[in-house]
Amino acid sequence: PAMCSSLRLPRGGWTAPYAVAPDTLINNELGWKTSWFDERLILNGALYQENWNDAQIGALDASLLGGIIINGGDYRVRGLEISSQGRLGNGLTIDVGVAWNHSELIREAAFFWADGTPINFSTLTDQAGRRLSNPAGVHGSPLAGAPPFQGNLRIRYEIDLGGYDAFAQMGAVHQAHSLATVDRLTLDTQGNSIYYDLPPFTTYAAALGAERNGWRVQLYGDNLTDERAELYANERQYYKSITVNRPRTIGLHVSYKFQR
């Protein structure tokens, strides 16, 4: 997560800490790898909980005219990942992967006034009367850059064509919405919140190819629908800047694998 707010508020503003404590990440995971029906079906997965305490985040201290590192709050992340592969015979293979992720802030970061008094954001409002919130994330809010769901699918068909090992495949990747930051307090120069909610997206890809005697030729297409997926957004240049995925890409790949 990232936080950027000068907090030019009463009582001399906020004071940055003199030192930063180390953050700790403890991961508890239960995983499995299984195969069924003479390995025609492979099913793997993992169930996990991560405890991330004193997460180190970036902040803007106006008195220092620059950015600093401070300790944020504590996060708890719970998730489930499953990957499977099914070989259906006659050269057909299906791969599926899904991941569910639930993250939440269980302890807010501590900020202090210049006189050492803790800042209680719930009692503060801006000039427009808007209630202020902890810029490092409010209790129960998710991590930035942590979509609650991701999934992918690939279908591949292989066949022998006159001595050539030919194949055709297609696939899709889906990602749910995610947050660019946990900071609900900071506004950009146009007065808009930088709490950007990046929308979900789905991309598709396909390939055709053949190989023989170490040579391989493949015609491929990535992001076939030319989806403009928003991967990240920030206002570091004083306007909303969005990082998107690569546009539709179609190409021909030729390679040779040398034999020992």
Side-chain angles (χ1 to χ4, degrees):
M3 185 275 287
C4 180
S5 177
S6 58
L7 293 179
R8 300 297 291 175
L9 298 171
R11 304 174 68 172
W14 77 289
T15 180
Y18 293 107
V20 180
D23 61 340
T24 60
L25 177 63
I26 299 176
N27 179 45
N28 302 288
E29 182 174 326
L30 175 64
W32 60 90
K33 293 185 177 182
T34 65
S35 61
W36 307 80
F37 310 112
D38 197 23
E39 297 189 348
R40 291 195 300 272
L41 174 63
I42 297 175
L43 182 62
N44 302 327
L47 183 67
Y48 62 87
Q49 174 173 306
E50 297 179 348
N51 299 314
W52 186 17
N53 297 330
D54 294 318
Q56 295 184 3
I57 60 176
L60 178 63
D61 185 354
S63 64
L64 298 177
L65 301 178
I68 60 172
I69 299 298
I70 65 173
N71 286 112
D74 297 341
Y75 283 92
R76 181 177 62 207
V77 184
R78 291 172 174 168
L80 172 65
E81 298 178 345
I82 298 176
S83 63
S84 64
Q85 181 183 81
R87 298 184 178 92
L88 304 183
N90 299 322
L92 182 62
T93 303
I94 300 178
D95 294 275
V96 179
V98 292
W100 291 271
N101 189 74
H102 177 73
S103 60
E104 62 178 329
L105 184 66
I106 59 177
R107 183 187 64 82
E108 292 189 13
F111 288 86
F112 297 89
W113 296 114
D115 61 7
T117 305
I119 300 177
N120 184 357
F121 288 94
S122 65
T123 64
L124 303 177
T125 58
D126 61 13
Q127 294 179 347
R130 185 180 68 131
R131 181 66 57 86
L132 301 184
S133 63
N134 191 315
V138 299
H139 190 274
S141 61
L143 274 166
F149 176 80
Q150 292 176 295
N152 62 81
L153 168 68
R154 188 189 74 161
I155 302 175
R156 181 182 177 93
Y157 180 66
E158 299 177 341
I159 189 173
D160 182 11
L161 290 179
Y164 289 87
D165 296 326
F167 68 91
Q169 71 179 40
M170 61 184 305
V173 174
H174 176 77
Q175 177 173 301
H177 83 105
S178 62
L179 299 174
T181 179
V182 298
D183 183 0
R184 302 185 186 186
L185 176 61
T186 302
L187 305 178
D188 61 21
T189 54
Q190 290 76 41
N192 301 314
S193 171
I194 68 168
Y195 189 70
Y196 304 129
D197 193 351
L198 308 180
F201 63 86
T202 304
T203 60
Y204 302 91
L208 292 169
E211 57 183 291
R212 183 178 182 181
N213 298 329
W215 286 97
R216 179 173 180 170
V217 178
Q218 176 176 300
L219 176 66
Y220 66 91
D222 294 330
N223 192 12
L224 294 175
T225 58
D226 203 24
E227 175 77 11
R228 288 297 186 270
E230 297 183 13
L231 305 179
Y232 180 65
N234 67 79
E235 46 73 54
R236 297 296 174 86
Q237 301 300 320
Y238 305 107
Y239 60 86
K240 185 179 180 180
S241 177
I242 301 175
T243 300
V244 299
N245 62 333
R246 294 181 63 181
R248 180 191 297 117
T249 304
I250 298 176
L252 180 66
H253 183 263
V254 179
S255 63
Y256 177 76
K257 184 177 181 180
F258 291 94
Q259 305 294 325
R260 289 186 177 180

